[in-house]
Amino acid sequence: MEPLHPDKLPTHLAIIMDGNGRWAQQRMLKRIVGHQRGAETVKMVVEQASQLGIKYLTLFAFSSENWSRPPIEVRALMTLLKKYIRRETARMMRNNIRYNIIGNRSDLPEDVNQTLDEATLETAGNTGMVLTLALSYGGRQEISMAAARMARDMVAGKLSADDVTVDTFAEYLDTGGLPDPDFLIRTSGEMRISNFLLWQLAYTELYFTETNWPDFTINEFHKALADFQSRERRFGKTSDQITKRN
Ligand code: IPE
Ligand code: IPE
Ligand code: MG
């Protein structure tokens, strides 16, 4: 496995977990079997990230656009999500991990919301990694809803137009309080963002791998993190400024 510097890990890692359906179809299996196998990869990545000391892990689990999939797949995904959360909460407690949910909760089925509320409440006091699940999430939807919330606060006299800065705007997003991701991994070979964290990814290092999510192993995970550690994050500065630390 690639050696990792413990002090150069991303503070916030975000993942677009893609390729479950193709993984299954290549094996003549139903797409849902791919999602079930994908859930095993989630377990591994969550455990690894928390053990490595990554503070924030955000997983794209279901997009606003995924509602357009065949209803049978949508239903199966919701059931799988509920089962996963129920089954894993004890492990989250043991590993001191706190759940956080972003996305349009009002579109999710009632029973899923109830499970999410229970898991969020139960893990609320945990002080280790924050595991954010993006569910019924779309970046553009999030940004427009933030704008609507700001408009309401302005009408209520709680906010003035002069207060609108990059930092205050960020506080109105679902991710308010979370740092921006340092590193984004997308599996399955697609080179796009698919409406994920549009605002927050402004300066994130991007990593794409051909591997489908169910095949993403611990070795590949470490390889991706090692790749992150080899990058020079300049944030608009020159390389000299970064290496000479001024
Ligand atoms: C990712 O795998 C899981 C979700 C989007 C819910 P896909 O289901 O998108 O798999 P592919 O892209 O069809 O292979
Ligand atoms: C992105 O994957 C959403 C999730 C991983 C949950 P999709 O498979 O839905 O992305 P597109 O539509 O192919 O871009
Ligand atoms: Mg896909």
Side-chain angles (χ1 to χ4, degrees):
M1 225 143 36
E2 300 273 342
L4 295 172
H5 308 283
D7 51 344
K8 278 183 74 183
L9 286 162
T11 301
H12 184 173
L13 167 66
I15 307 184
I16 301 176
M17 314 181 287
D18 199 11
N20 292 347
R22 275 164 288 168
W23 181 92
Q25 280 162 337
Q26 283 157 11
R27 289 162 180 78
M28 308 296 201
L29 299 166
K30 293 216 168 74
R31 292 176 57 85
I32 187 64
V33 181
H35 296 310
Q36 284 161 353
R37 287 295 296 262
E40 296 302 309
T41 308
V42 175
K43 215 156 83 180
M44 176 280 284
V45 163
V46 168
E47 187 121 47
Q48 270 298 305
S50 130
Q51 276 172 17
L52 286 167
I54 289 173
K55 293 199 171 61
Y56 301 89
L57 173 65
T58 299
L59 302 177
F60 202 5
F62 193 86
S63 74
S64 306
E65 291 71 26
N66 289 149
W67 291 114
S68 315
R69 292 194 177 193
I72 187 164
E73 179 165 345
V74 171
R75 266 199 302 277
L77 279 166
M78 292 297 145
T79 305
L80 181 63
L81 172 67
K82 210 169 69 177
K83 282 193 184 150
Y84 180 89
I85 302 270
R86 291 219 174 122
R87 203 179 58 214
E88 290 300 309
T89 304
R91 200 196 307 266
M92 298 299 110
M93 294 308 291
R94 281 201 297 281
N95 290 328
N96 196 22
I97 299 171
R98 179 157 66 87
Y99 275 121
N100 177 45
I101 312 295
I102 60 172
N104 193 357
R105 292 281 301 267
S106 59
D107 283 347
L108 295 171
E110 174 87 41
D111 56 335
V112 170
N113 267 323
Q114 201 182 327
T115 304
L116 293 173
D117 282 339
E118 282 163 13
T120 309
L121 192 68
E122 195 173 337
T123 62
N126 290 347
T127 53
M129 188 174 82
V130 177
L131 172 58
T132 299
L133 301 180
L135 294 168
S136 189
Y137 174 87
R140 287 183 167 177
Q141 290 82 342
E142 179 193 35
I143 290 168
S144 53
M145 277 162 71
R149 277 197 287 271
M150 289 179 106
R152 262 183 243 117
D153 278 359
M154 282 188 198
V155 170
K158 291 191 223 158
L159 188 77
S160 86
D162 296 335
D163 295 333
V164 182
T165 62
V166 167
D167 290 339
T168 47
F169 196 93
E171 283 306 310
Y172 278 85
L173 295 168
D174 289 3
T175 51
L178 301 180
D180 287 340
D182 306 287
F183 194 40
L184 172 81
I185 297 174
R186 181 173 190 150
T187 58
S188 91
E190 308 298 358
M191 306 249 238
R192 54 178 174 258
I193 299 300
S194 300
N195 204 14
F196 190 41
L197 300 176
L198 294 180
W199 169 283
Q200 299 86 341
L201 293 175
Y203 253 108
T204 304
E205 296 295 328
L206 309 178
Y207 182 92
F208 299 97
T209 169
E210 290 290 324
T211 308
N212 286 323
W213 181 247
D215 280 338
F216 191 70
T217 58
I218 195 167
N219 282 346
E220 286 217 49
F221 187 32
H222 281 236
K223 195 171 124 198
L225 292 169
D227 189 302
F228 171 78
Q229 298 194 326
S230 73
R231 308 224 185 153
E232 183 179 68
R233 306 192 70 199
R234 289 193 286 276
F235 298 102
K237 295 183 180 179
T238 67
S239 185
D240 274 358
Q241 286 177 294
I242 303 301
T243 47
K244 290 178 187 147
R245 296 167 181 245
N246 54 15

